[in-house]
Amino acid sequence: MNCKGVILEVSNYLDGDLELSVRQELERHLEHCGECKMVVDQTRLTVNVFCDCKPIELPADVKSRLHDALRRKLKDNDQLG
Ligand SMILES: [Zn+2]
């Protein structure tokens, strides 16, 4: 799995919706990619802050800020090739 894959799957990962094999791949990537680990940690924090034991629905502004950050990251990765 590459950085793009991690970012695409991060919400499924945190929701526990990933198949075991995909989750393991993702976690292997996190072991050597601090950038993606940061994205996962940040997303997890954001989710936890707003979760409060209810179905997770992020406020729109948080969601769009997160999307912006992820889009920027995807773009950076594209530039890196
Ligand atoms: Zn990565």
Side-chain angles (χ1 to χ4, degrees):
M1 182 172 296
N2 57 22
C3 294
K4 210 166 192 167
V6 171
I7 290 165
L8 289 175
E9 299 292 358
V10 65
S11 66
N12 289 333
Y13 173 63
L14 293 174
D15 286 348
D17 283 346
L18 287 185
E19 285 179 34
L20 184 64
S21 61
V22 181
R23 199 175 72 208
Q24 283 172 339
E25 262 197 70
L26 194 151
E27 283 171 348
R28 257 205 306 278
H29 181 93
L30 294 184
E31 280 172 17
H32 65 80
C33 184
E35 283 270 293
C36 285
K37 197 171 182 321
M38 203 179 66
V39 170
V40 171
D41 285 346
Q42 281 302 115
T43 309
R44 184 189 282 125
L45 282 176
T46 312
V47 167
N48 281 344
V49 166
F50 293 101
C51 177
D52 199 24
C53 298
K54 289 192 288 273
I56 296 164
E57 181 56 46
L58 297 180
D61 66 319
V62 173
K63 224 189 268 186
S64 71
R65 254 183 302 163
L66 190 60
H67 281 171
D68 282 351
L70 295 179
R71 247 202 317 271
R72 265 202 305 278
K73 184 164 167 50
L74 284 175
K75 202 156 148 265
D76 289 349
N77 284 331
D78 284 348
Q79 280 163 359
L80 290 172

